[in-house]
């Protein structure tokens, strides 16, 4: 049984753990490869931003926006060498020059380097056909360290203006890396920008790190470590103020999942014998057992109402997805496509349930809870650990390609367009964080 097999595999290598909580080296960023072209992506013109002031701008704002929109799978930016001109405002925009490119919108802007070392940034989005500015925004007094975040905020604003869907660029990813050094595996828990830049090591260990889960406010990560010689569930504040083992019971402690209000943590414990799902009150640490079955019940994910849990269970012989009404205790099977469905994760908008679906390989399946439709989104054979972007429009997941663990991103419409890898190791267990507060 694959869930049991995975659990055993994940929990058997418990020997010693080396844990360091500070002075981490900074590893290389995730490298993003656009692997598939996207049909019907909208062409868009993104003009290099005009620079005013002395020195150079340390970040190419227009290029960051261009890459973000390209990675969304919804836009196809025109190559810079095909742009007919370099306008930076409406006064020097000649609309006739852009008609032959068949673009509906042009993005342009400027960056001003101030004598005090700060930057002022401006962006405009212009509808070519209507000859009308549809978005204009300024950022004042931006320090160098926040230029990339402004570019991501700008990308979110543009994406929302042009699609009506909130952007998910000003967000973060958590993931686990595995590197082989001196014939030993070394694990790190990393947090980076959504495009893989600015990686920051949160935890370093010689023992596996698994199942990172963001708190709804984006200020904490829950995850599983083996630092005490067996599995523990840890909650760590990302500002460095606190780190606490919250589940250190006999047996399995795994699969943490925050409730929508951040007040509770669902997790899998086997302290009573079988692997069942419990809910922990994060203020009192009181536990409530919510499943009571001889089968393995694991991998909980919350519905938006905070009153329903979806989870994996092998009570039918093979893993399938069930849901429970936490008020009544009533359970119901919800996955019926194929022999194996596990690792459910709810989309932030409550519409989709993603899962690992086995049918000629392990791929990411997507169940539309509104109409019951089921789709297989990937064809990468060994896919696992799906995690939704906060706008519910894309998922990041782990896969194995050429014997190496990598991440990939796919849209809910099934357009796989990018792979995220590191140059000197493997990467797995992704978790897409909530939007960063502005």
């Amino acid at each position: 049984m694959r869930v049991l097999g995975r659990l055993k595999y994940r929990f058997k290598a418990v020997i010693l753990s080396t844990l360091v909580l500070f002075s981490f080296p900074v590893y290389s960023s995730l490298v993003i490869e656009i692997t598939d072209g996207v049909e019907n992506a909208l062409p868009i013109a993104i003009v290099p931003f005009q620079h005013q002031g002395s020195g150079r701008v340390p970040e190419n704002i227009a290029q960051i926006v261009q890459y973000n929109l390209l990675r969304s799978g919804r836009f196809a930016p025109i190559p810079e060498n095909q742009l007919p001109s370099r306008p930076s405002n409406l006064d020097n925009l000649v609309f006739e020059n852009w008609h032959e490119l068949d673009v509906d919108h042009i993005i342009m802007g400027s960056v001003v380097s101030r004598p005090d070392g700060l930057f002022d940034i401006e962006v405009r989005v212009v509808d070519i056909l209507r000859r009308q500015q549809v978005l204009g925004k300024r950022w004042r007094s931006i320090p160098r360290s926040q230029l990339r975040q402004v570019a991501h905020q700008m990308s979110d604003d543009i994406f929302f203006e042009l699609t009506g869907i909130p952007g998910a660029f000003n967000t973060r990813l958590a993931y686990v890396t595995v590197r082989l050094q001196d014939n030993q595996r070394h694990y790190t828990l990393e947090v980076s920008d959504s495009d893989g830049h600015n990686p920051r090591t949160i935890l370093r260990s010689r023992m596996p790190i698994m199942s990172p889960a963001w708190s709804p406010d984006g200020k904490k990560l829950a995850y599983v470590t083996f630092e005490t010689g067996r599995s523990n569930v840890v909650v760590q504040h990302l500002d460095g103020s606190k780190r606490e083992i919250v589940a250190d019971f006999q047996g399995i402690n795994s699969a943490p999942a925050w409730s929508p209000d951040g007040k509770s943590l669902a997790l899998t414990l086997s302290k009573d014998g079988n692997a069942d799902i419990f809910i922990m009150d994060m203020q009192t640490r009181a536990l409530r057992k919510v499943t009571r079955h001889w089968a393995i019940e694991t991998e909980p994910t919350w519905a938006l109402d905070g009153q329903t849990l979806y989870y994996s269970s092998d009570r039918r012989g093979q893993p399938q997805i069930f849901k429970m009404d936490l008020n009544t205790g009533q359970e119901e099977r919800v996955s019926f496509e194929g022999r194996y469905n596990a690792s459910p994760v709810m989309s932030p908008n409550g519409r989709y349930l993603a899962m690992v679906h086995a049918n000629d390989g392990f791929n990411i399946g997507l169940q539309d809870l509104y109409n019951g439709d089921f789709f297989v989104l990937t064809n990468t054979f060994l896919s696992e650990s799906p995690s939704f972007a906060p706008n519910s429009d894309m998922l990041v997941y782990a896969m194995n390609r050429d014997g190496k663990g990598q991440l990939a991103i796919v849209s809910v419409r099934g357009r796989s367009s990018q792979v995220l890898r590191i140059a000197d190791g493997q990467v797995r267990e992704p978790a897409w964080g909530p939007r960063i507060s502005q």
Side-chain angles (χ1 to χ4, degrees), residues 45-88:
I46 304 174
V47 179
F49 283 17
Q50 184 184 67
H51 178 218
Q52 302 172 20
S54 60
R56 58 179 293 275
V57 182
E59 299 285 355
N60 188 331
I61 302 296
Q63 187 178 73
I64 295 170
V65 173
Q66 177 180 337
Y67 287 164
N68 282 340
L69 296 185
L70 175 64
R71 290 188 300 108
S72 75
R74 292 179 176 268
F75 296 97
I78 302 297
E80 183 178 336
N81 60 8
Q82 296 180 19
L83 300 177
S85 61
R86 305 288 191 272
S88 60

Side-chain angles (χ1 to χ4, degrees), residues 259-261 302-308 310 346-351 370:
S259 62
D261 61 7
W302 295 78
L304 290 185
D305 62 6
Q307 301 300 316
T308 305
Y310 292 81
M346 176 66 67
S347 66
N349 64 6
R351 175 167 184 171
Y370 287 7

Side-chain angles (χ1 to χ4, degrees), residues 113-377:
S113 300
R114 302 186 347 185
D116 58 4
L118 302 177
F119 298 88
D120 295 335
I121 306 168
E122 180 180 285
V123 67
R124 299 175 187 272
V125 179
V126 179
D127 187 314
I128 296 294
L129 298 178
R130 291 188 292 167
R131 300 190 174 209
Q132 181 179 6
Q133 178 177 306
V134 294
L135 175 67
K137 193 167 182 178
R138 296 186 179 93
W139 287 261
R140 300 297 192 196
S141 306
I142 303 300
R144 172 187 182 132
S145 61
Q146 295 180 12
L147 287 174
R148 288 196 68 88
Q149 185 176 1
V150 166
H152 293 317
Q153 293 172 2
M154 185 182 298
S155 302
D156 282 346
D157 293 336
I158 295 169
F159 190 81
F160 181 71
E161 177 63 36
L162 300 182
T163 68
I165 301 171
F169 307 110
N170 190 29
T171 56
R172 292 174 292 181
L173 294 178
Y175 53 91
V176 175
T177 70
V178 187
R179 292 178 170 88
L180 190 62
Q181 299 172 1
D182 301 325
N183 293 321
Q184 286 190 321
R185 289 182 175 180
H186 293 255
Y187 299 82
T188 66
L189 175 59
E190 310 271 352
V191 170
S192 74
D193 294 351
S194 65
D195 59 359
H197 283 263
N198 298 322
R200 183 163 65 101
T201 303
I202 302 302
L203 175 68
R204 187 182 184 191
S205 175
R206 290 185 180 176
M207 301 305 295
I209 305 168
M210 302 187 317
S211 307
W214 290 89
S215 62
D217 61 7
K219 296 180 179 179
K220 301 184 287 289
L221 276 177
Y223 52 85
V224 178
T225 75
F226 294 84
E227 64 191 276
T228 63
R230 54 195 180 89
S231 62
N232 300 144
V233 175
V234 173
V235 171
Q236 184 166 342
H237 294 237
L238 296 182
D239 62 3
S241 63
K242 191 175 182 181
R243 181 176 184 271
E244 181 182 10
I245 296 176
V246 299
D248 183 27
F249 301 100
Q250 188 69 35
I252 294 170
N253 302 269
S254 69
W258 294 91
S259 62
D261 61 7
K263 296 181 179 179
S264 302
L265 198 67
L267 64 171
T268 299
L269 306 175
S270 66
K271 66 184 189 67
D272 296 338
N274 290 324
D276 277 302
I277 296 172
F278 291 71
I279 294 176
M280 175 179 287
D281 184 309
M282 294 308 291
Q283 184 172 8
T284 65
R285 299 293 190 268
L287 281 174
R288 173 188 173 194
K289 189 174 183 178
V290 296
T291 64
R292 303 173 186 277
H293 199 279
W294 55 265
I296 292 177
E297 320 273 272
T298 186
E299 301 171 327
T301 183
W302 295 78
L304 290 185
D305 62 6
Q307 301 300 316
T308 305
L309 276 183
Y310 292 81
Y311 54 93
S312 302
S313 174
D314 68 346
R315 63 181 66 180
R316 296 291 187 268
Q318 289 280 355
Q320 294 292 345
I321 311 301
F322 288 73
K323 74 173 182 180
M324 172 183 282
D325 184 320
L326 295 176
N327 292 317
T328 66
Q330 184 175 0
E331 297 174 277
E332 178 184 353
R333 179 178 170 179
V334 297
S335 66
F336 295 94
E337 296 285 341
R339 59 180 173 79
Y340 178 110
N341 293 288
S343 304
V345 59
M346 176 66 67
S347 66
N349 64 6
R351 175 167 184 171
Y352 302 109
L353 191 67
M355 62 194 75
V356 175
H357 172 74
N359 189 13
D360 191 22
F362 291 86
N363 284 294
I364 303 302
L366 189 72
Q367 187 155 326
D368 189 328
L369 298 178
Y370 287 7
N371 58 27
D373 290 347
F374 183 86
F375 309 90
V376 177
L377 296 178

Side-chain angles (χ1 to χ4, degrees), residues 80-128:
E80 183 178 336
N81 60 8
Q82 296 180 19
L83 300 177
S85 61
R86 305 288 191 272
S88 60
N89 55 58
L90 292 174
D91 293 335
N92 55 21
L93 174 60
V94 181
F95 288 97
E96 289 75 11
N97 292 345
W98 299 86
H99 289 163
E100 293 184 359
L101 287 181
D102 195 30
V103 297
D104 293 338
H105 296 92
I106 177 172
I107 298 170
M108 54 190 181
S110 62
V111 180
V112 177
S113 300
R114 302 186 347 185
D116 58 4
L118 302 177
F119 298 88
D120 295 335
I121 306 168
E122 180 180 285
V123 67
R124 299 175 187 272
V125 179
V126 179
D127 187 314
I128 296 294

Side-chain angles (χ1 to χ4, degrees), residues 36-48:
D36 295 327
V38 179
E39 296 180 359
N40 302 320
L42 294 175
I44 193 168
I46 304 174
V47 179

